[in-house]
């Protein structure tokens, strides 16, 4: 960044000014990128008192108006601090109304040709009704939309260090999300809840495919970031309308919209979506219930029949052990070395995925690429299953298991590059002449 600033064709003199965001006019017809307060994370005014008392002693004669008060003014600070407002509900209402007013002012004045980018720190996730949510996050999204913005995209950035002092032993900020926003047209219409769900089913798969597939020269969104990034296309649908109306005529809340967006993500990634073989569907359903622990053979038998396979067949594929009335999925570390998919007559995606994880962890990206080259047709299902299993592990609090799937996706482009260097075994190459 420093090297870029040295060579950037910009004016050598900057300009800094301090104004109330709700009433300022300096952003008119400007390109705006802003980093607003983070709900209830830090009371900056309280923190500033530590420095203010000493600065006031030294600089009050120089800046008498700036240091007129004994402590930093706090009443107008736009954070949801319960002790200042009497309750958590009142603090949230204060934050929502204040943020809505400030963002509405930005929406009214922003340059129409460019989006407004808003950085917002996302707390470590809470899981409710199968979705990733956060009270501060929901309240902030509500303020953005009510202010007159549509949300075109949400992109996660790793900006917070987990080992920093505030992050140790607390539910501190995990990462930041950049919201890409534009002003919503004044003539925007309302739609029904059913139509909103229909649009999610139609548009989310393509958006998710672009995220998990990556693009030329770019890595796919890591599973750990997918829940945040996927909010973008979902909220783009929700926020482009004046309102999404429930059956009783009430407006759908951001909370309810996020639940539906997360449900669309789950449905897309689920092995039940039709992209996976019967053995993999069984393994995914069994893993969701028992993880790596043993479970009753009777339950496994019923589940296997429902998925169109058998416990003996799945065991024959080499992904589980059955005996003594118990059934248990094998961890990737228990898979045999030297596995060759071209010599395996029963290769479920589940088996291929965990062999890939073992190869990556024990031998590196090149070796994993060599394995992928022997089964190129499984590339897409492998990634989709890795995202799905990461989501299951993350929601169950199984961080170590989740890490293996996240690392595979993180290394995916390098693995694919290595597979192409080896050459897809059995594929014919054509020259485009």
């Amino acid at each position: 960044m420093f090297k870029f600033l040295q060579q950037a064709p910009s004016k050598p003199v900057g300009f800094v000014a301090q104004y109330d965001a709700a009433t300022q006019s300096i952003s008119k017809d400007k390109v705006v990128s802003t980093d607003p307060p983070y709900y209830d994370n830090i009371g900056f005014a309280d923190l500033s008192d530590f420095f203010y008392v000493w600065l006031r002693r030294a600089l009050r004669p120089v800046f008498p108006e700036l240091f007129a008060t004994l402590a930093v003014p706090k009443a107008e600070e736009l954070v949801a601090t319960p002790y200042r407002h009497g309750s958590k509900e009142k603090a949230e209402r204060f934050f929502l109304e204040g943020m809505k007013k400030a963002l509405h002012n930005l929406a009214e004045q922003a340059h129409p040709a460019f989006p407004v980018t808003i950085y917002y720190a996302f707390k470590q996730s809470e899981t409710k009704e199968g979705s990733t949510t956060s009270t501060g996050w929901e309240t902030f999204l509500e303020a953005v939309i009510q202010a007159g913005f549509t949300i075109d995209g949400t992109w996660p950035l790793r900006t917070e260090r987990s080992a920093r002092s505030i992050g140790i032993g607390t539910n501190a900020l995990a990462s930041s999300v950049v919201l890409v926003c534009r002003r919503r047209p004044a003539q925007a219409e309302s739609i029904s809840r059913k139509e909103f769900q229909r649009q999610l089913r139609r548009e989310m798969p393509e958006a998710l495919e672009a995220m998990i597939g990556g693009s030329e020269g770019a890595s796919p969104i890591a599973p750990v970031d997918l829940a945040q990034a996927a909010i973008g296309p979902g909220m783009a649908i929700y926020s482009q309308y004046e309102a999404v109306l429930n059956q009783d005529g009430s407006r759908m809340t951001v909370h309810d919209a996020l639940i539906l967006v997360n449900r669309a993500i789950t449905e897309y990634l689920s092995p039940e979506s039709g992209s996976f073989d019967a053995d993999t569907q069984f393994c995914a359903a069994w893993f969701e219930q028992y993880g790596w622990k043993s479970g009753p053979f009777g339950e496994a038998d019923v589940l296997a029949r429902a998925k169109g396979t058998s416990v003996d067949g799945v065991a024959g594929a080499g992904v589980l052990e059955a005996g003594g009335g118990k059934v248990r999925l094998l961890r990737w570390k228990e898979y045999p070395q030297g596995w060759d998919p071209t010599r395996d007559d029963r290769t479920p995606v589940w088996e291929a995925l965990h062999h890939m994880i073992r190869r990556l962890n024990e031998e590196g990206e090149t070796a994993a690429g060599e394995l992928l080259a022997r089964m190129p047709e499984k590339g897409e299902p492998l990634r989709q299953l890795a995202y799905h299993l990461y989501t299951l592990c993350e929601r169950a609090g199984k961080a170590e298991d989740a890490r293996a799937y996240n690392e595979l996706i993180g290394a995916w482009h390098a693995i694919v590059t290595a597979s192409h260097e080896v050459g897809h075994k059995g594929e014919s190459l054509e020259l485009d002449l």
Side-chain angles (χ1 to χ4, degrees):
M1 183 180 293
F2 177 72
K3 291 179 179 178
F4 168 78
L5 291 176
Q6 282 185 314
Q7 301 178 22
S10 57
K11 294 181 180 179
V13 179
F15 171 71
V16 178
Q18 183 182 31
Y19 292 97
D20 184 342
T23 58
Q24 58 80 26
S25 60
I26 58 173
S27 66
K28 186 172 179 59
D29 292 331
K30 302 292 195 309
V31 178
V32 176
S33 184
T34 183
D35 186 12
Y38 299 154
Y39 192 65
D40 62 349
N41 186 55
I42 294 178
F44 290 99
D46 289 333
L47 184 63
S48 297
D49 276 340
F50 179 84
F51 306 95
Y52 181 87
V53 292
W54 303 106
L55 290 172
R56 186 172 186 268
R57 289 175 66 91
L59 297 175
R60 187 182 179 189
V62 182
F63 303 107
E65 293 184 2
L66 188 60
F67 293 97
T69 57
L70 292 175
V72 174
K74 300 176 179 64
E76 296 180 353
E77 185 184 19
L78 198 52
V79 292
T81 310
Y83 78 85
R84 291 186 194 165
H85 302 281
S87 70
K88 189 174 182 179
E89 292 74 20
K90 290 181 180 179
E92 181 174 337
R93 188 160 56 248
F94 169 81
F95 180 84
L96 177 60
E97 293 302 319
M99 188 59 69
K100 184 169 63 176
K101 186 176 180 181
L103 292 174
H104 178 73
N105 191 35
L106 282 180
E108 289 292 314
Q109 300 189 67
H111 198 295
F114 302 97
V116 172
T117 54
I118 305 173
Y119 289 72
Y120 195 78
F122 190 90
K123 273 197 172 185
Q124 293 167 353
S125 64
E126 304 165 359
T127 301
K128 298 179 181 178
E129 299 185 44
S131 63
T132 302
T133 62
S134 167
T135 302
W137 176 234
E138 290 176 4
T139 304
F140 183 73
L141 285 177
E142 195 80 62
V144 171
I145 294 168
Q146 290 185 21
F149 278 120
T150 64
I151 300 173
D152 286 353
T154 54
W155 296 100
L157 292 177
R158 297 299 168 79
T159 58
E160 313 297 332
R161 190 169 62 90
S162 60
R164 67 199 188 284
S165 58
I166 194 173
I168 299 174
T170 66
N171 184 33
L173 300 176
S175 62
S176 292
V177 179
V178 181
L179 282 76
V180 183
C181 306
R182 293 184 184 274
R183 185 175 177 181
R184 184 169 53 250
Q187 67 275 18
E189 59 182 8
S190 298
I191 61 168
S192 66
R193 179 189 183 99
K194 187 171 293 186
E195 177 60 26
F196 174 59
Q197 291 176 292
R198 189 178 297 116
Q199 290 191 34
L200 283 177
R201 287 193 295 269
R202 185 172 63 244
E203 299 179 27
M204 285 294 286
E206 183 178 351
L208 289 168
E209 179 58 34
M211 289 180 181
I212 71 173
S215 56
E216 193 69 28
S219 297
I221 295 291
V224 69
D225 294 324
L226 183 64
Q228 294 175 28
I231 289 172
M235 294 309 293
I237 299 171
Y238 175 82
S239 62
Q240 68 180 294
Y241 297 103
E242 173 62 27
V244 176
L245 302 177
N246 294 312
Q247 290 181 338
D248 61 1
S250 61
R251 300 171 70 100
M252 179 187 289
T253 64
V254 165
H255 175 79
D256 290 341
L258 286 175
I259 289 176
L260 294 178
V261 170
N262 278 278
R263 189 176 299 163
I265 298 170
T266 301
E267 289 175 356
Y268 173 77
L269 297 175
S270 172
E272 303 291 341
S273 65
S275 302
F276 298 93
D277 54 86
D279 290 354
T280 297
Q281 291 185 36
F282 165 82
C283 291
W286 188 258
F287 181 78
E288 187 170 3
Q289 186 171 0
Y290 288 103
W292 306 115
K293 297 178 182 178
S294 297
F297 177 89
E299 288 187 22
D301 183 57
V302 172
L303 178 61
R305 291 174 187 272
K307 300 298 182 184
T309 185
S310 66
V311 174
D312 288 343
V314 180
V319 299
L320 64 76
E321 62 178 16
K326 295 290 184 181
V327 171
R328 181 181 70 85
L329 289 169
L330 300 178
R331 295 175 179 270
W332 63 264
K333 293 179 181 179
E334 300 176 86
Y335 279 53
Q337 291 182 332
W339 178 72
D340 185 350
T342 63
R343 298 181 180 180
D344 192 338
D345 59 0
R346 186 163 182 158
T347 311
V349 176
W350 181 279
E351 179 187 20
L353 171 65
H354 291 90
H355 273 296
M356 285 285 293
I357 291 174
R358 174 168 186 156
R359 194 69 65 92
L360 175 65
N361 277 269
E362 295 184 352
E363 300 179 48
E365 295 169 349
T366 300
E370 292 174 354
L371 181 57
L372 180 62
R374 293 176 175 269
M375 49 178 183
E377 75 286 351
K378 284 188 165 55
E380 293 299 319
L382 282 172
R383 282 186 306 175
Q384 191 169 339
L385 183 59
Y387 277 100
H388 174 67
L389 295 179
Y390 171 84
T391 302
L392 292 182
C393 293
E394 190 268 341
R395 290 176 180 170
K398 300 175 181 177
E400 191 62 35
D401 291 329
R403 186 177 297 114
Y405 303 114
N406 192 60
E407 289 175 349
L408 179 69
I409 297 300
W412 191 256
H413 264 295
I415 292 172
V416 171
T417 300
S419 76
H420 284 295
E421 291 175 354
V422 172
H424 289 166
K425 185 175 181 180
E427 277 194 321
S428 61
L429 302 177
E430 297 181 1
L431 294 177
D432 187 11
L433 300 176

